[in-house]
Amino acid sequence: MKAKKKLLTLLILSAGSVVVSGAGIAAVNKLIKMSAVSRNLLSEPEHQCYKWRLGDIYYTKTGSGKPLLLIHDLSSFSCGFEWSRLIPLLQEQYTIYTIDLLGCGRSEKINMTYTNYLYVQLITDFIHSVIGRRTNVIATGEAASIPIMACYSTPSLFDQIMLINPLSLLDYSQIPGRSARFFKFILDLPVIGTMIYHMASSRKSIETLFTEEFFCNPVSVTPYYTDRYYEAAHLGAYPKAVFTSCFCNYTKCNLVNALKKIDNSIYLVGGAKLGAISEQLEEYKKYNSSIETFLIPNTRELPQMEAPGQVCELIQTYL
């Protein structure tokens, strides 16, 4: 969190050093948004819409077999596109649902504070209303907390759960501190806050994330990935709302009690080239000894994009 605060502080200082009128900054913000979404790269002809009580939810359904729900990472630039290389390998065995979480990707983006509880309700309602039966779930990154808490709340809707590179349990236990209110106030400002968000979600920032954190092999990073993430970060009415909520820890939730009590099979998958991922995944087993862990060689945060064949093998073996 300290690194995140340092980054935002630098962005705020940078924004403050720009001598431009409010109208000028607003015009630049509008131009950035129009440019980012102009190519319509994330459009899919066969998508569907779930009319949830808090907003329209974009999702896709393909394949045949037992249901499998894929939940992308919880960030302002993530969406169901994250699973695009994996779906063709699984659709003959599973009925695959991908969902763009509220506030992300192509789903409705409302100006509100997003919380773990909100997403637990969304996933629970989606499985109940759209899938209609017990389902396997795979989630990645910060979103890994969502099926854990949803299963803890309503176990009858869930079968097996696979989590790809979940955060450490300590990270999930972070709560909004006093500084969160200040950062949220700044980010919620309609002009300066939006400018800071555009700096944090620039094309260059996303390219850097792919080459330094998401992919093990930077040569594999192409505009095909980064352009779509960049577009996802700027779609919708309030794309910065999820960024603000995640940054200020409103989307976090302590998982320890849920892990202790869940009886469902849980599998944790990590990118082997991520720092201390082995120790991080082993930490989960302290609270639920039945959890199984696996590492995928030569991958980092997005093995489902970097090594979809290996992820597919794990899914077919254990789900």
Side-chain angles (χ1 to χ4, degrees):
M1 183 62 183
K2 290 182 179 179
K4 289 167 62 180
K5 288 180 180 178
K6 183 177 180 181
L7 170 62
L8 185 54
T9 301
L10 288 172
L11 290 174
I12 291 171
L13 291 173
S14 299
S17 68
V18 178
V19 184
V20 185
S21 68
I25 296 175
V28 171
N29 286 338
K30 185 175 181 180
L31 182 63
I32 290 172
K33 181 179 178 65
M34 290 175 60
S35 174
V37 304
S38 62
R39 297 167 65 186
N40 203 24
L41 297 173
L42 291 171
S43 175
E44 293 184 86
E46 298 182 3
H47 73 275
Q48 300 185 54
C49 179
Y50 170 46
K51 297 286 186 179
W52 194 45
R53 53 189 171 83
L54 291 181
D56 291 348
I57 303 301
Y58 180 107
Y59 75 96
T60 65
K61 176 183 177 182
T62 186
S64 60
K66 54 187 177 182
L68 174 62
L69 174 61
L70 304 178
I71 304 174
H72 62 80
D73 195 2
L74 183 52
S75 77
S76 59
F77 43 73
S78 296
C79 68
F81 170 74
E82 184 178 299
W83 306 103
S84 59
R85 295 195 65 198
L86 186 62
I87 291 172
L89 305 179
L90 295 171
Q91 59 188 6
E92 292 186 5
Q93 291 181 265
Y94 304 90
T95 300
I96 303 170
Y97 297 83
T98 68
I99 184 173
D100 284 12
L101 296 171
L102 188 71
C104 300
R106 297 149 291 193
S107 287
E108 194 166 350
K109 298 181 178 179
I110 302 168
N111 188 17
M112 62 183 293
T113 299
Y114 293 83
T115 66
N116 178 270
Y117 179 75
L118 178 148
Y119 287 119
V120 166
Q121 292 298 303
L122 168 58
I123 294 304
T124 300
D125 291 346
F126 183 83
I127 294 175
H128 183 268
S129 301
V130 178
I131 300 178
R133 56 182 172 139
R134 194 178 177 96
T135 186
N136 292 322
V137 179
I138 304 176
T140 184
E142 185 170 338
S145 65
I146 300 170
I148 291 294
M149 296 306 295
C151 181
Y152 174 60
S153 173
T154 316
S156 61
L157 294 178
F158 295 84
D159 195 354
Q160 300 176 93
I161 297 172
M162 179 176 286
L163 309 177
I164 299 176
N165 288 320
L167 305 185
S168 72
L169 292 175
L170 179 61
D171 283 336
Y172 280 126
S173 67
Q174 300 296 315
I175 60 174
R178 285 179 295 179
S179 61
R181 290 191 292 272
F182 167 72
F183 287 127
K184 191 173 189 304
F185 170 77
I186 296 296
L187 288 168
D188 282 342
L189 293 173
V191 178
I192 294 297
T194 301
M195 179 183 178
I196 294 170
Y197 173 70
H198 285 163
M199 294 167 68
S201 60
S202 67
R203 189 187 303 274
K204 181 62 177 178
S205 296
I206 291 173
E207 288 173 352
T208 300
L209 282 173
F210 265 92
T211 56
E212 296 183 0
E213 297 183 26
F214 291 172
F215 275 27
C216 178
N217 181 7
V219 177
S220 301
V221 178
T222 68
Y224 179 78
Y225 300 117
T226 57
D227 286 353
R228 283 158 178 78
Y229 268 57
Y230 181 59
E231 180 175 294
H234 294 84
L235 288 170
Y238 297 98
K240 69 177 180 180
V242 160
F243 173 84
T244 302
S245 298
C246 291
F247 188 92
C248 296
N249 291 326
Y250 290 100
T251 53
K252 301 290 180 60
C253 179
N254 193 316
L255 302 183
V256 169
N257 192 50
L259 286 172
K260 289 179 179 178
K261 296 185 178 181
I262 288 178
D263 290 329
N264 303 63
S265 296
I266 301 175
Y267 306 96
L268 306 183
V269 177
K273 292 296 184 178
L274 279 178
I277 190 65
S278 297
E279 296 80 2
Q280 193 168 303
L281 299 187
E282 286 297 318
E283 183 184 12
Y284 284 74
K285 298 174 73 171
K286 295 178 183 178
Y287 301 100
N288 189 325
S289 59
S290 65
I291 289 176
E292 297 184 58
T293 63
F294 311 91
L295 295 180
I296 299 182
N298 301 315
T299 63
R300 286 186 179 168
E301 290 198 10
L302 292 173
Q304 64 271 37
M305 296 178 73
E306 197 170 13
Q310 295 178 63
V311 175
C312 177
E313 288 179 11
L314 283 176
I315 294 170
Q316 292 173 331
T317 300
Y318 294 99
L319 298 189

